[in-house]
Amino acid sequence: MPESLSFGIDPITAHAWNKDRTKLAISPNSPEVHIYHFQRGEWKLEEILKEHDLKVTGIDWAPNTNRIVTCSADRNAYVWTQSEEKKWKPTLVLLRINRAATCVRWSPLENKFAVGSGARLISVCYFEKENDWWVSKHIKKPIRSTVTCLDWHPNDVLLAAGSTDFKVRVFSAYIKEIEDRPVSTSWGSKMPLGLMMAEFSNSTNGAGGWVHSVNFSSSGDRIAWVGHDSSISIADASKGMAVSVIRTDVLPFLACLWVSENRLIAAGHGCCPMLFEVNETGKVQFAGKLDASLKKETSGVSAMKKFQSLDRQARTETNDTSLGTLHQNAITSVCLHTGNKANATKFSTAGVDGLLAIWDFSNLESAMRGLKFN
Amino acid sequence: MIIPVLSYKYYQRSLQYKKNIKIQRFQLEYKSYNKMDVSRRKFRQEQYSSINYHHSEYERRGSFVAACSAFRKIDVDQYNEDNYKEDECGESQSPPSIEALKTVLRNAPISSRNQMVKDAALNVVMQVLLSMKSSQIEEAVNALDRDHLDILMKYIYRGFETPSEGSSGQLLAWHEKVHAVAGVGCIVRVLTDKKRV
């Protein structure tokens, strides 16, 4: 049974965990960021970070250096550091964009972060010690439209970006001021800043749909993305950029996450996280729904139930408006909770219904064992 | 005195008779007018619009009826229904097979920029869809693969845009069967795909 926390009625646009998962930063569809602390068995609101003017669109919490970066529709990003009095202090980051920022991600080594924006560019920001501020470098070509999602490769240099021009691109975000030359990977060997290493189209015969989320696997060889045409795709650089697509028959997904080298979770408008598996040949297959435990009884209406509802609620029909899944509205983000991308045991989902649910794989596996695998 | 009375009655009767005849003729004409198809109506309207009502004649004669005398000069026979030449209608075809549907979907002009080609293809697909029997629909849908189901759904929605007699009902039957197999994702792809059918 997944653990669920309710944060009111406002949709949760973004959420991020700290290193030991005792603190949670969420943004309830407003310019504020709420920090919750797990104390004595319950989640208490610890602090509200109020610096942005417009809606916060992305939050990421660097686990090792304990810094939060938030980006917002007001074209700004702030890096928050915790002072000795346990208060969070913001530092402005000059993104130099003239449109809203849409997503933000710390790099694996937490020395830089990337911000996607509606200005058709990605800002890769790093801290300059001499001037004591955060400076950004732009990746522009050949992005033709808003960047909606970002993810870093484990080598801290490559960056995958999904965009509303129906394409997923892998760029090099190598900043020579702060890091050494990267070694060559399956994506390529020469990696100057802004070089596009690979480009994938979201559909074989044309447009497809906006790319909502992109994710590198733990080895960095595979990249998965989900698009608005209800499809989920995987590209494998070690197999010559081979792409495998499934066009599902459910509503489009909004977020995806690798939980092992061969399995990934996707969740979205269907309000139910789904598990997908990649087999040896590199083909992606549907493995099962993870919300199986909460199936509503859809088999007919018993007379008992009818009289019960008449008695208690003065209602003659028993059709509920609630969904059979835990989340009652679209799931907007999926985060790793316990484990890493190579082997995750728990992950969290947050949705438009203001609910944050933590799913445990060990429970789900046993529940799913009875299910058929397609 | 009897004779004038009698003749007056007959006169009245004859007026009534004329009126009836006029009403009957009008009714006949009205009925046949509605049954006429658009091309014939246009044909008639074109002819009648050439009749002008001369304002000067109205003033001179002092009555509206008298002014519209141009209609008396029309050759009525040319408007006789029998003279209208109809196009030869084709032979009614047997209901198309599933293979026909597959072929038509396979050759769908999705990538074409030419709107005429797309419209022509749409007409063909509509003919196939609407003439297939309801019992065949489920079998046909099961025989198609996912890509073809997506294209079929696109055509179903386009068919909804231009309804004809009873087409929407038949298309709804198709929609239900395709939805049962391909789910909501198929409909989402109709909405999001830039390449319209």
Side-chain angles (χ1 to χ4, degrees), chain A residues 166 203 205-209 228-231 246-252, chain B residues 110-111 146-147 150 154 181-186 188-189 192-195:
Chain A
F166 322 117
S203 165
N205 59 342
H228 200 72
D229 56 343
S230 302
S231 68
I246 288 191
R247 296 209 169 81
T248 65
D249 53 358
V250 293
L251 290 176
Chain B
I110 299 187
S111 321
R146 281 302 159 97
D147 291 332
D150 287 345
K154 284 186 194 172
V181 173
V184 204
C186 186
V188 171
R189 274 185 283 283
T192 56
D193 207 343
K194 239 173 47 165
K195 301 240 162 151

Short mmCIF file of all heavy atoms in Angstrom, two decimals, chain A residues 166 203 205-209 228-231 246-252, chain B residues 110-111 146-147 150 154 181-186 188-189 192-195:
data_model
loop_
_atom_site.label_atom_id
_atom_site.label_comp_id
_atom_site.label_asym_id
_atom_site.label_seq_id
_atom_site.Cartn_x
_atom_site.Cartn_y
_atom_site.Cartn_z
N PHE A 166 9.03 18.63 -30.58
CA PHE A 166 8.88 17.19 -30.75
C PHE A 166 10.20 16.44 -30.82
O PHE A 166 10.27 15.36 -31.38
CB PHE A 166 8.05 16.84 -32.00
CG PHE A 166 6.90 17.77 -32.26
CD1 PHE A 166 6.86 18.53 -33.40
CD2 PHE A 166 5.86 17.89 -31.36
CE1 PHE A 166 5.81 19.40 -33.64
CE2 PHE A 166 4.81 18.75 -31.59
CZ PHE A 166 4.79 19.51 -32.74
N SER A 203 8.57 10.94 -33.11
CA SER A 203 7.70 10.08 -33.87
C SER A 203 8.39 9.70 -35.16
O SER A 203 9.15 10.47 -35.70
CB SER A 203 6.39 10.80 -34.16
OG SER A 203 5.67 10.14 -35.16
N ASN A 205 7.00 9.01 -38.15
CA ASN A 205 6.47 9.57 -39.40
C ASN A 205 6.00 10.99 -39.20
O ASN A 205 5.02 11.41 -39.77
CB ASN A 205 5.33 8.70 -39.92
CG ASN A 205 4.21 8.61 -38.90
OD1 ASN A 205 4.40 8.89 -37.74
ND2 ASN A 205 3.04 8.23 -39.35
N GLY A 206 6.70 11.74 -38.38
CA GLY A 206 6.26 13.13 -38.30
C GLY A 206 6.30 13.67 -36.90
O GLY A 206 7.23 13.41 -36.16
N ALA A 207 5.32 14.42 -36.53
CA ALA A 207 5.41 15.25 -35.34
C ALA A 207 5.38 14.43 -34.06
O ALA A 207 6.33 14.44 -33.31
CB ALA A 207 4.29 16.23 -35.35
N GLY A 208 4.31 13.75 -33.77
CA GLY A 208 4.25 13.00 -32.52
C GLY A 208 3.58 13.82 -31.45
O GLY A 208 2.39 13.84 -31.34
N GLY A 209 4.34 14.46 -30.63
CA GLY A 209 3.74 15.22 -29.55
C GLY A 209 4.85 15.83 -28.75
O GLY A 209 6.02 15.47 -28.88
N HIS A 228 3.58 13.51 -25.63
CA HIS A 228 2.16 13.74 -25.46
C HIS A 228 1.31 12.89 -26.38
O HIS A 228 0.09 12.89 -26.27
CB HIS A 228 1.84 15.22 -25.67
CG HIS A 228 0.53 15.60 -25.05
ND1 HIS A 228 0.37 15.71 -23.70
CD2 HIS A 228 -0.66 15.85 -25.60
CE1 HIS A 228 -0.88 16.02 -23.44
NE2 HIS A 228 -1.55 16.12 -24.58
N ASP A 229 1.91 12.16 -27.29
CA ASP A 229 1.11 11.26 -28.12
C ASP A 229 1.00 9.89 -27.45
O ASP A 229 0.87 8.87 -28.13
CB ASP A 229 1.75 11.11 -29.51
CG ASP A 229 3.17 10.64 -29.43
OD1 ASP A 229 3.78 10.73 -28.36
OD2 ASP A 229 3.68 10.15 -30.45
N SER A 230 1.02 9.87 -26.14
CA SER A 230 0.88 8.65 -25.35
C SER A 230 1.95 7.63 -25.68
O SER A 230 1.69 6.43 -25.62
CB SER A 230 -0.47 7.96 -25.59
OG SER A 230 -1.52 8.78 -25.29
N SER A 231 3.12 8.08 -26.05
CA SER A 231 4.15 7.11 -26.41
C SER A 231 5.27 7.16 -25.38
O SER A 231 5.48 8.17 -24.71
CB SER A 231 4.72 7.42 -27.79
OG SER A 231 5.44 8.61 -27.74
N ILE A 246 6.89 2.52 -27.82
CA ILE A 246 5.57 1.91 -27.64
C ILE A 246 4.56 3.03 -27.72
O ILE A 246 4.71 4.04 -27.03
CB ILE A 246 5.40 1.29 -26.24
CG1 ILE A 246 6.19 0.04 -26.07
CG2 ILE A 246 3.96 0.89 -26.04
CD1 ILE A 246 5.79 -0.66 -24.80
N ARG A 247 3.52 2.84 -28.54
CA ARG A 247 2.43 3.80 -28.53
C ARG A 247 1.35 3.18 -27.66
O ARG A 247 0.71 2.23 -28.06
CB ARG A 247 1.91 4.06 -29.94
CG ARG A 247 2.97 4.68 -30.78
CD ARG A 247 2.45 5.56 -31.88
NE ARG A 247 3.56 6.28 -32.43
CZ ARG A 247 4.40 5.77 -33.34
NH1 ARG A 247 4.18 4.56 -33.82
NH2 ARG A 247 5.43 6.46 -33.74
N THR A 248 1.22 3.70 -26.47
CA THR A 248 0.31 3.05 -25.53
C THR A 248 -1.14 3.45 -25.82
O THR A 248 -1.41 4.36 -26.60
CB THR A 248 0.64 3.47 -24.10
OG1 THR A 248 0.38 4.88 -23.98
CG2 THR A 248 2.09 3.21 -23.78
N ASP A 249 -2.05 2.74 -25.11
CA ASP A 249 -3.47 3.08 -25.29
C ASP A 249 -4.04 3.73 -24.05
O ASP A 249 -5.23 3.65 -23.79
CB ASP A 249 -4.26 1.83 -25.67
CG ASP A 249 -4.03 0.73 -24.66
OD1 ASP A 249 -3.24 0.92 -23.73
OD2 ASP A 249 -4.64 -0.34 -24.81
N VAL A 250 -3.17 4.39 -23.27
CA VAL A 250 -3.66 5.14 -22.12
C VAL A 250 -3.38 6.61 -22.37
O VAL A 250 -2.79 6.97 -23.37
CB VAL A 250 -2.96 4.68 -20.82
CG1 VAL A 250 -3.35 3.27 -20.49
CG2 VAL A 250 -1.47 4.80 -20.95
N LEU A 251 -3.80 7.43 -21.42
CA LEU A 251 -3.56 8.87 -21.57
C LEU A 251 -2.05 9.15 -21.49
O LEU A 251 -1.30 8.36 -20.94
CB LEU A 251 -4.31 9.62 -20.47
CG LEU A 251 -5.82 9.60 -20.63
CD1 LEU A 251 -6.48 10.26 -19.46
CD2 LEU A 251 -6.24 10.29 -21.92
N PRO A 252 -1.61 10.29 -22.04
CA PRO A 252 -0.16 10.54 -22.11
C PRO A 252 0.52 10.58 -20.75
O PRO A 252 -0.08 10.92 -19.74
CB PRO A 252 -0.09 11.93 -22.76
CG PRO A 252 -1.38 12.14 -23.40
CD PRO A 252 -2.38 11.34 -22.68
N ILE B 110 -0.89 10.80 -45.87
CA ILE B 110 -0.67 11.61 -44.68
C ILE B 110 0.37 12.68 -44.95
O ILE B 110 0.28 13.81 -44.48
CB ILE B 110 -0.22 10.73 -43.51
CG1 ILE B 110 -1.31 9.73 -43.20
CG2 ILE B 110 0.05 11.57 -42.30
CD1 ILE B 110 -1.04 8.94 -41.97
N SER B 111 1.42 12.32 -45.68
CA SER B 111 2.52 13.25 -45.86
C SER B 111 2.26 14.25 -46.98
O SER B 111 3.04 15.15 -47.21
CB SER B 111 3.80 12.50 -46.17
OG SER B 111 3.86 11.35 -45.41
N ARG B 146 -1.62 -1.44 -35.03
CA ARG B 146 -1.77 -0.18 -34.28
C ARG B 146 -1.66 1.06 -35.17
O ARG B 146 -2.41 2.01 -35.02
CB ARG B 146 -0.73 -0.10 -33.18
CG ARG B 146 -1.05 -0.89 -31.94
CD ARG B 146 -2.36 -0.44 -31.37
NE ARG B 146 -2.99 -1.41 -30.51
CZ ARG B 146 -2.90 -1.41 -29.19
NH1 ARG B 146 -2.18 -0.50 -28.59
NH2 ARG B 146 -3.52 -2.33 -28.48
N ASP B 147 -0.70 1.06 -36.08
CA ASP B 147 -0.54 2.26 -36.91
C ASP B 147 -1.76 2.50 -37.77
O ASP B 147 -2.24 3.62 -37.90
CB ASP B 147 0.69 2.09 -37.82
CG ASP B 147 1.96 2.11 -37.02
OD1 ASP B 147 1.97 2.74 -35.94
OD2 ASP B 147 2.95 1.49 -37.45
N ASP B 150 -4.57 3.92 -35.80
CA ASP B 150 -4.44 5.35 -35.59
C ASP B 150 -4.95 6.12 -36.80
O ASP B 150 -5.67 7.12 -36.67
CB ASP B 150 -2.97 5.73 -35.34
CG ASP B 150 -2.51 5.30 -33.96
OD1 ASP B 150 -3.37 4.98 -33.12
OD2 ASP B 150 -1.29 5.27 -33.72
N LYS B 154 -8.22 8.68 -37.21
CA LYS B 154 -8.14 10.03 -37.77
C LYS B 154 -9.23 10.23 -38.82
O LYS B 154 -9.86 11.29 -38.88
CB LYS B 154 -6.78 10.24 -38.44
CG LYS B 154 -5.66 10.47 -37.47
CD LYS B 154 -4.39 10.82 -38.21
CE LYS B 154 -3.22 10.71 -37.25
NZ LYS B 154 -1.96 10.85 -37.93
N VAL B 181 -10.38 -1.49 -28.84
CA VAL B 181 -9.10 -2.16 -29.11
C VAL B 181 -7.93 -1.25 -28.78
O VAL B 181 -6.99 -1.65 -28.10
CB VAL B 181 -9.03 -2.58 -30.59
CG1 VAL B 181 -7.67 -3.13 -30.92
CG2 VAL B 181 -10.11 -3.60 -30.90
N ALA B 182 -7.97 -0.02 -29.24
CA ALA B 182 -6.79 0.84 -29.16
C ALA B 182 -6.82 1.82 -28.00
O ALA B 182 -5.85 2.51 -27.78
CB ALA B 182 -6.61 1.60 -30.47
N GLY B 183 -7.91 1.92 -27.28
CA GLY B 183 -7.91 2.73 -26.08
C GLY B 183 -7.89 4.23 -26.32
O GLY B 183 -8.06 4.72 -27.43
N VAL B 184 -7.66 4.96 -25.24
CA VAL B 184 -7.69 6.43 -25.30
C VAL B 184 -6.47 6.96 -26.04
O VAL B 184 -6.51 8.03 -26.63
CB VAL B 184 -7.68 7.01 -23.88
CG1 VAL B 184 -8.27 8.38 -23.89
CG2 VAL B 184 -8.45 6.13 -22.95
N GLY B 185 -5.36 6.19 -25.97
CA GLY B 185 -4.12 6.65 -26.61
C GLY B 185 -4.31 6.94 -28.08
O GLY B 185 -3.73 7.88 -28.63
N CYS B 186 -5.14 6.14 -28.72
CA CYS B 186 -5.41 6.32 -30.15
C CYS B 186 -6.03 7.68 -30.40
O CYS B 186 -5.66 8.40 -31.32
CB CYS B 186 -6.33 5.19 -30.59
SG CYS B 186 -6.64 5.14 -32.32
N VAL B 188 -5.83 10.28 -28.41
CA VAL B 188 -4.85 11.31 -28.11
C VAL B 188 -3.94 11.55 -29.30
O VAL B 188 -3.59 12.68 -29.63
CB VAL B 188 -4.01 10.91 -26.88
CG1 VAL B 188 -2.85 11.85 -26.69
CG2 VAL B 188 -4.86 10.89 -25.65
N ARG B 189 -3.60 10.45 -29.99
CA ARG B 189 -2.72 10.61 -31.15
C ARG B 189 -3.42 11.33 -32.29
O ARG B 189 -2.78 12.06 -33.04
CB ARG B 189 -2.22 9.24 -31.62
CG ARG B 189 -0.99 8.82 -30.86
CD ARG B 189 -0.44 7.55 -31.41
NE ARG B 189 -1.21 6.39 -30.98
CZ ARG B 189 -1.11 5.87 -29.77
NH1 ARG B 189 -0.26 6.38 -28.90
NH2 ARG B 189 -1.84 4.84 -29.43
N THR B 192 -2.98 14.98 -31.26
CA THR B 192 -1.66 15.60 -31.17
C THR B 192 -0.87 15.53 -32.46
O THR B 192 0.08 16.26 -32.62
CB THR B 192 -0.79 14.93 -30.09
OG1 THR B 192 -0.72 13.54 -30.37
CG2 THR B 192 -1.37 15.14 -28.73
N ASP B 193 -1.23 14.63 -33.37
CA ASP B 193 -0.38 14.47 -34.53
C ASP B 193 -0.54 15.64 -35.48
O ASP B 193 -1.65 15.97 -35.90
CB ASP B 193 -0.72 13.15 -35.24
CG ASP B 193 0.47 12.62 -35.99
OD1 ASP B 193 1.42 13.39 -36.22
OD2 ASP B 193 0.45 11.44 -36.36
N LYS B 194 0.60 16.22 -35.84
CA LYS B 194 0.54 17.36 -36.74
C LYS B 194 0.16 16.95 -38.15
O LYS B 194 -0.43 17.71 -38.89
CB LYS B 194 1.91 18.04 -36.78
CG LYS B 194 1.85 19.47 -36.34
CD LYS B 194 3.20 20.14 -36.19
CE LYS B 194 4.14 19.93 -37.32
NZ LYS B 194 5.26 20.89 -37.27
N LYS B 195 0.51 15.72 -38.50
CA LYS B 195 0.22 15.26 -39.85
C LYS B 195 -1.24 14.86 -39.91
O LYS B 195 -1.61 13.78 -39.46
CB LYS B 195 1.07 14.03 -40.21
CG LYS B 195 2.55 14.29 -40.12
CD LYS B 195 3.20 14.07 -41.44
CE LYS B 195 4.55 14.73 -41.50
NZ LYS B 195 5.48 14.08 -42.38
#
